[in-house]
């Protein structure tokens, strides 16, 4: 983990969202898509110190629609991947009509990792 890079990324995210009017979505996409999960965890910690709020709260207040859902998925997956997939499975199966396509997609895509 590169702590200096995490600090720079946190400052970049803060400047692209909370610190300005409007949001620079490309900065969020760049950081969240290019860093590994360990590095992202450090970025989220630095962002919490800098902004005084969680990165998920910032994404929630700054974004909407598919971009919000996608970025939140990256954050949740980076923080705790088993918990993220457990929640997705729960959502797919919780009501009377199971979302078969989501259930199958998760089980098949994760089968080599979690079912060995």
């Amino acid at each position: 983990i590169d702590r200096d890079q995490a600090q720079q990324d946190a400052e970049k995210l803060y400047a692209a969202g909370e610190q300005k009017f409007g949001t620079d979505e490309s900065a969020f996409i760049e950081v969240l898509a290019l860093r590994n999960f360990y590095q992202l965890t450090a970025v989220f910690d630095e962002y919490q110190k800098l902004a005084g709020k969680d990165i998920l709260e910032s994404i929630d207040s700054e974004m909407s629609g598919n971009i919000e859902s996608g970025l939140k998925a990256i954050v949740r997956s980076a923080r705790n991947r088993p918990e993220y997939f457990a929640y997705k499975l729960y959502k797919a199966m919780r009501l009377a009509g199971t979302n078969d396509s989501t259930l199958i997609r998760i089980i098949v895509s994760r089968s080599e990792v979690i079912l060995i």
Side-chain angles (χ1 to χ4, degrees):
I1 296 174
D2 183 348
R3 294 287 176 191
D4 292 332
Q5 183 66 50
Q7 177 67 34
Q8 291 172 8
D9 287 342
E11 290 170 0
K12 182 176 187 175
L13 293 175
Y14 185 68
E18 294 291 330
Q19 196 174 32
K20 68 182 254 181
F21 183 74
T23 306
D24 179 9
E25 291 93 356
S26 64
F28 280 83
I29 294 168
E30 181 182 332
V31 171
L32 295 178
L34 295 179
R35 305 295 180 253
N36 66 51
F37 286 162
Y38 302 110
Q39 186 68 27
L40 285 177
T41 302
V43 172
F44 302 153
D45 292 342
E46 292 297 326
Y47 187 87
Q48 176 76 37
K49 293 176 194 172
L50 182 65
K53 62 195 290 189
D54 187 60
I55 188 74
L56 284 173
E57 294 175 48
S58 293
I59 291 171
D60 193 43
S61 66
E62 296 289 327
M63 315 278 179
S64 64
N66 290 335
I67 188 81
E68 176 186 7
S69 299
L71 294 178
K72 283 181 169 182
I74 292 171
V75 172
R76 288 182 178 131
S77 181
R79 285 189 171 153
N80 189 334
R81 193 172 302 174
E83 181 180 303
Y84 170 74
F85 283 110
Y87 178 71
K88 296 301 275 184
L89 289 169
Y90 167 77
K91 280 184 62 176
M93 297 183 291
R94 71 179 169 174
L95 301 174
T98 299
N99 186 337
D100 292 333
S101 63
T102 299
L103 180 63
I104 291 166
R105 180 176 39 82
I106 291 172
I107 295 297
V108 169
S109 68
R110 303 293 300 163
S111 64
E112 290 185 15
V113 177
I114 61 176
L115 299 177
I116 293 177

